[in-house]
Amino acid sequence: MSRRVEDNLFPTHRADELMQRALGLTEATMPHPNPRVGAIVVSPAGDVLAERAHLAAGTPHAEAAALAEAGAAARGSTLVVTLEPCAHHGRTPPCADAVIDAGVARVVVGVVDPDPRVAGMGIERMRDAGIEVIAGIEEAAVRSNDPAYFHHRSTGRPLVTLKVAMTLDGQSAAADGTSQWITGPEARSDAHRLRAENDAVLVGNGTVLADDPRLDVRIDGYDGPQPRPVIVAGRRPIPPTAALLGRGPIIFAPEPMPHPCDGPDQPVVMPGRDGVDLVGVVKHLGGEGVLSVLVEGGSKIAGSALRAGIVDRIVLYFGAKLAAGIGLPAIAGRLETILDARDLSITHVSRLGPDLRIDAILESGG
């Protein structure tokens, strides 16, 4: 279904250039559970007539919005869109029909949509209507622009990132539990941007009891969506005064328990071998339309997430500090033999003020 552009009137370099421009339109968008999509309408002479991105679930899709902006000038045009136009009725009508009705002559698609409700049917519908469709332009860049969407549509569960902050010698806190601040302000601001990139932030009840966090994004000028808080509760009660309760968290518990503040949404009972079944948690969240989850919190939830096999990516913040002793490890658990160590593929290393951030992918993730 994918092929490169051979038409001299619309050469390969022009398609690549416009696809990158369409991707740029999505930089500030977070429309999950819908995908990030950018679309550009180009005249037969090569002029950009309109360009739009999908802003939020329930709002017009990028291609429909761009075609509406172009109006009658869209007839005979080329539509460049990062993701295959949809072919099903959701909150909005099928975009493939909008493309056909607008009289577009050619559609350049970045990636075929893996959603089983689309999966090539949008392309087929447009081709059946006589529209030239070229797919597979800047495909790797499109996928990396919204990895959570493609992961969710192919696996049915969210993309899970584990965030850990520690000293250079692997301690997340002192023996008395103090940990403020292992990292500097630059790394802490970056961690808030990491929250903004995820649909939900998950912590264990121990973190709720020890730190009473809000798990929200606090960046100057940020007006995007806040991640949904998720609490993995133990058998100790969650205080009714916990700050997270004011943000409508999803609570998972190993056994039936009343909502800590008599809220209407009762905790989801998800018993597991060592408390809450984390595999069941991520499957449940995926079914609720959560595409990405950031696991924060202490060493216990970090170790449990890794042992459960739900972690796909890891972000490690190394503060420019040396503990020079044993306090609390960044990841709880016991390494019996080096053969039990997990293999990682390090994808990026960056410096944040005095500290380091290392991004890695688990070679055998969940």
Side-chain angles (χ1 to χ4, degrees):
M1 184 169 291
S2 298
R3 60 190 176 90
R4 298 300 297 171
V5 183
E6 301 296 342
D7 191 338
N8 290 330
L9 297 177
F10 204 79
T12 296
H13 69 84
R14 180 65 168 153
D16 293 342
E17 171 193 318
L18 286 167
M19 191 62 68
Q20 287 291 342
R21 179 166 170 168
L23 284 171
L25 298 172
T26 71
E27 285 182 357
T29 66
M30 188 66 169
H32 291 175
N34 291 352
R36 302 174 78 188
V37 181
I40 301 175
V41 182
V42 184
S43 74
D47 299 319
V48 172
L49 300 174
E51 53 185 13
R52 296 288 294 272
H54 181 44
L55 300 179
T59 63
H61 290 186
E63 52 270 59
L67 290 169
E69 183 180 328
R75 186 160 298 277
S77 67
T78 293
L79 173 68
V80 177
V81 60
T82 57
L83 189 69
E84 174 188 6
C86 61
H88 64 284
H89 281 271
R91 293 188 184 181
T92 60
C95 290
D97 290 351
V99 174
I100 295 168
D101 293 343
V104 171
R106 179 193 292 115
V107 179
V108 178
V109 174
V111 179
V112 175
D113 193 339
D115 190 312
R117 297 171 298 177
V118 188
M121 288 184 283
I123 290 176
E124 182 180 1
R125 185 177 298 185
M126 292 185 294
R127 284 182 174 158
D128 288 345
I131 298 173
E132 178 189 6
V133 181
I134 300 156
I137 304 299
E138 293 289 324
E139 184 168 352
V142 174
R143 289 182 178 277
S144 65
N145 185 55
D146 196 2
Y149 176 78
F150 289 97
H151 181 88
H152 179 270
R153 290 303 192 269
S154 62
T155 67
R157 68 175 187 82
L159 183 71
V160 178
T161 300
L162 172 63
K163 188 210 86 173
V164 179
M166 67 185 86
T167 63
L168 288 176
D169 49 350
Q171 305 303 300
S172 65
D176 64 359
T178 56
S179 60
Q180 294 182 333
W181 293 103
I182 284 178
T183 57
E186 296 90 348
R188 296 198 298 273
S189 293
D190 188 76
H192 278 271
R193 287 188 287 272
L194 185 61
R195 283 181 183 173
E197 295 169 2
N198 284 271
D199 299 333
V201 180
L202 181 151
V203 295
N205 196 22
T207 296
V208 175
L209 294 171
D211 300 335
D212 194 22
R214 288 192 56 83
L215 302 183
D216 54 353
V217 178
R218 297 187 298 278
I219 303 173
D220 289 343
Y222 179 76
D223 60 357
Q226 291 288 347
R228 183 83 181 268
V230 177
I231 302 174
V232 175
R235 289 178 171 81
R236 292 182 294 174
I238 300 171
T241 57
L244 277 182
L245 297 180
R247 299 194 54 230
I250 303 174
I251 302 173
F252 293 91
E255 56 192 30
M257 60 178 286
H259 194 282
C261 60
D262 298 323
D265 297 327
Q266 293 301 301
V268 179
V269 178
M270 196 72 69
R273 180 175 173 180
D274 298 316
V276 172
D277 176 13
L278 293 180
V279 173
V281 166
V282 295
K283 287 182 178 178
H284 181 94
L285 293 173
E288 293 293 310
V290 174
L291 273 56
S292 58
V293 176
L294 178 64
V295 178
E296 289 197 23
S299 61
K300 183 177 179 181
I301 194 70
S304 296
L306 285 168
R307 285 189 295 275
I310 65 169
V311 177
D312 303 294
R313 298 180 170 193
I314 298 180
V315 175
L316 302 171
Y317 291 99
F318 285 94
K321 286 182 172 59
L322 195 67
I326 297 175
L328 298 177
I331 299 173
R334 181 177 175 82
L335 181 64
E336 297 291 349
T337 170
I338 196 63
L339 297 177
D340 293 336
R342 304 292 298 274
D343 290 326
L344 302 176
S345 175
I346 295 176
T347 58
H348 190 69
V349 178
S350 56
R351 186 164 182 169
L352 301 167
D355 307 321
L356 293 177
R357 169 175 165 164
I358 295 179
D359 292 63
I361 298 173
L362 267 76
E363 295 290 359
S364 55

